[in-house]
Amino acid sequence: MPSSILHPQVRSAAEKLGILEATEAQKAAFEPILRGKNVLLIAPTGMGKTEAAMLPVFSKLVEDKRRIGVIYVTPLRALNRDMLKRLREFGKELDIRISVRHGDTTQKERRMHIKEPPNVMITTPETLQIMLIGSKLRELLKNVRYVIVDEIHELADNERGAQLSVVLERLVEVAGEFQRIGLSATVGDPEEIGKFLVGKGRDVKIVDVSRIRKMEIDVEMPLPDEEDEKVAAVLSSEPEWAACLRRGRAIIDESEASLFFVNTRETGEKLALQYSMLGYEDIELHHGSLAKDVRIEVENRFKNGELKALICTSSLELGIDVGRVDRVIQFNSPRSVSRMVQRVGRSGHSMEKMPKGTVIAVNEDEFAEGAVIAEKAVKGEVESKTVRKNPLSVLANQITSIVVERRDVSADEIYSLVKRAHPFTELEREEFDSVVNQLVEIRQIWRSGERLSRGRNSRKYFYDNISMISDERSYWVVDIGTRKRVAKLDEKFVAAYIEPFSIFIVRGKAWRVVDMDEESILAEPVGDLGSIPSWSGEDLPVPFEVAREVGRLRRIRDFSHYSVRKEDAGRYIKWLEDAEKGGAIVATDRRLVIEEGDGIVINACFGTNVNLTLSHILSTLLSARYGASINTGTDPYRIMIQAAFPLGGRDIIATLDRIKPDTLEALLRIVLKNSEPFKWRFLYSAKKFGIIEKGADMRSIRIDRLIELYRGTPVFEEAMRMTLWKDMDMDNTRRILDMIKSGEIEVVRARLSEIGRMGLRQKGGAVLPSKPSMEILKSVKKRIERTEIRLICLNCGNIWRSAVSDVHDGMQCNRCGGSMVAMIRPYQKEFQEIIKKKNPGPEELKRIRWLVKSAEIIKYHGHDGAMLLAGRGIGPDTANRILSRYHRDEWELLGDILKAEINYAKTKRFWD
């Protein structure tokens, strides 16, 4: 019987819908919510958090059925859809109208929201902000008395969350104070998340019942057998990978319904393709880049029992209902404790059943990391989430949005409002004014005295920047047979791999490009192998505490307190012992090991962001000292360094010794300003301030010039803060440097070992192998020769397309017969106009000289020159440097092209 303190109609409805007894989470939450308190409820998946919040709210609504009296916010549209199904059943019983509004809502439904407003509106943070702009919806929002924020941990430490916190304060200006309820399964720091929920000057009741439900997590490292080696040969994979596929399938067969989690969409595509190649039709793929209809289809097939398992990313990590799941499989470590708790919590989705999960590790690093995270998850040791203070990109976004909302408003009013939101409670007026000045300078808004009003582009900016999520351009893949959308591909992948007749993998199947336009790729399914897409923003960092615990495991070599198989633990320990017999010194939580060989590998159990921080500092200081460039790669346990000059362990030790922990931030600010992470963050900041328009072609933007232009502005400062916050780890790097200086962490040198080589293999070319395999070179040759290029005649300006394979010595213009034919990139459309100018300017002369160099390479080196120029990031100067050194055979030339491409990818990426 549900709690007696609920309204009788609500109790009756709950009983009709099968809720006969309240869970512990519901019992703990009902009373404070009914008393009108702001509540943060932390409870495991399957404890009925939604009902814990909504049943007491329904108890209030049956007495006061005001229109849009409740706003229910979720971070995902799919969660909106799922929540609507769950709550509508109560709505029917209680005569309460419930609706959903987000980006996919039809115009007809939107009109109905105004004509017949619901009592409960389910929405996303972005759509809530839009609702504040419309005059009719804004009037209805005056009725809001309750706001529920579901999966609040997904929002608390990012820009979307900071935006929502200000939007809630703006809602207060419209509706007056309302009751706030936050829901989450995983929160490491409840007090911080509670403050984020309610803002400044309000109390919050924390109801934490997260320890009530236990979970069971095993970690395995399957040993390959002869059959795995045969399968690996068929799949073009490693035996260890094939062994994980076999073990995953065995667990699926032992279970009724399984979710098979992966960390990236790329890994998911690979696994889905390989299971398909092995003939398994009862496993499908689910991730956020698949079309909505495709996702709904596989969700329904899974619920109906047609599928035994779904390979999925974080798209199914949150509370989307996919039916009964009795087992969760995690391919390799999930990287963080919160992710492990969230994912394993999807199994045994009721209080009667214990959540069960199995981590399948492909190698020793993944095994130890998985064991540490599983143990912490079982103990409830979830990482804390700290709210970033004063995100200036969000501030710029919200200042403009408030001006659009109110048309004319004082700066004092906006400052006072924003200061109530938790991320901005420490915002200084001077910094606020600097952001206002920046927006006025770029004419985003107008200022007259202390009054701010709409600028020419304010409204366009508002709709282009509703979301704080990075908005890289993407292309829809459309099935030529059905004309249905299949999935979205990121611009970077399309630019690098997609061309007529190229083959790629999506939805676990191979597709051939038939045609493409500005927005979509028309493709047909084929039975072949192809390129697996990569998507932006997928790397998951391993926390400092996890990596240090892995280091401790390496030192004590005792798995008795970890849920692992005895034979797997024995293999891990033997791996360490064999490395030591071979001369290795094992890095631990108390030892940093610098291995010297073909390059340098620093074995350091410090986690993703500390190692990335150290690598940026080391590479910059060493480059400055020796006057030559250095390439680096990192993982949570290593820093890989390759230099164009002799570099030894003593150089690394001397450089580490020069770094002073108390000057770390100042040093990083110097180091990072030319780094890839900073450039990426600057682009984001510039977009969110409105300096770069949505949909701008990133390839045509001179990022270095733009950075220099905005140096010393809030745009620049925001990019630097984001880089320090999201990509670096200053606090723990200081701690490590202090421990090295005090001797608490010893630093030793050794020769390159199997442990160091594992990092080189996993990084997949972060440090280039000295001799790429013939298979790699053949793949490079095939890709480049199939590349479609544009050729331009310097005599008549004629432009035509060709494949690299068709370029030959003595190439001539197909219109005028001219012999000076240059190669240009598809986006360099301005060259045709430049060469026709009689009096070109200085910048245009530079581009003409660039064209002449390109034409000379084609003229004198023909096919070899075209192959070089078609390489990613290889311009005429780089091509000439390679060609001037020697006259080698084709395979050696391809090796140099590959090396140049990797160096370009690591230092420039697509925006240069």
Side-chain angles (χ1 to χ4, degrees), residues 198-256:
V198 301
K200 186 177 182 179
R202 302 182 187 95
D203 295 328
V204 60
K205 169 74 174 175
I206 295 171
V207 178
D208 188 351
V209 291
S210 57
R211 303 294 179 89
I212 288 177
R213 196 177 186 214
K214 298 184 181 300
M215 58 176 56
E216 182 182 297
I217 309 172
D218 302 316
V219 184
E220 302 180 11
M221 182 170 56
L223 181 65
D225 57 23
E226 288 185 15
E227 188 61 30
D228 294 326
E229 295 194 12
K230 293 176 184 176
V231 170
V234 172
L235 300 178
S236 301
S237 189
E238 297 294 325
E240 292 79 7
W241 186 282
C244 290
L245 283 173
R246 167 177 53 80
R247 181 58 185 143
R249 180 68 223 190
I251 295 171
I252 290 168
D253 288 338
E254 295 165 4
S255 311
E256 182 182 338

Side-chain angles (χ1 to χ4, degrees), residues 176-208:
E177 291 291 344
F178 45 80
Q179 187 176 357
R180 305 183 189 205
I181 303 165
L183 307 176
S184 179
T186 54
V187 171
D189 189 346
E191 287 74 22
E192 178 76 353
I193 305 303
K195 291 176 184 176
F196 167 76
L197 172 67
V198 301
K200 186 177 182 179
R202 302 182 187 95
D203 295 328
V204 60
K205 169 74 174 175
I206 295 171
V207 178
D208 188 351

Side-chain angles (χ1 to χ4, degrees), residues 265 287-291 295 474-477 485-490 494 506 533-535:
R265 285 166 278 187
H287 62 64
S289 288
L290 295 176
R295 295 197 305 271
S474 59
Y475 295 78
W476 280 108
V477 176
R485 290 176 170 181
V486 179
K488 283 191 292 188
L489 297 179
D490 280 359
V494 171
V506 80
S534 58
W535 284 270

Side-chain angles (χ1 to χ4, degrees), residues 72-122:
Y72 195 110
V73 180
T74 79
L76 296 176
R77 294 179 189 179
L79 270 175
N80 283 180
R81 187 178 71 241
D82 194 62
M83 206 56 59
L84 181 64
K85 291 178 185 176
R86 293 175 65 179
L87 296 182
R88 266 188 174 165
E89 294 179 341
F90 278 99
K92 289 176 184 176
E93 296 293 332
L94 300 170
D95 191 28
I96 290 173
R97 294 189 67 247
I98 300 169
S99 190
V100 66
R101 189 180 181 98
H102 53 54
D104 292 335
T105 304
T106 65
Q107 285 300 321
K108 181 180 178 182
E109 290 173 312
R110 291 169 193 265
R111 287 192 294 270
M112 287 300 295
H113 291 159
I114 296 171
K115 188 177 178 181
E116 297 181 29
N119 306 107
V120 179
M121 183 72 86
I122 304 168

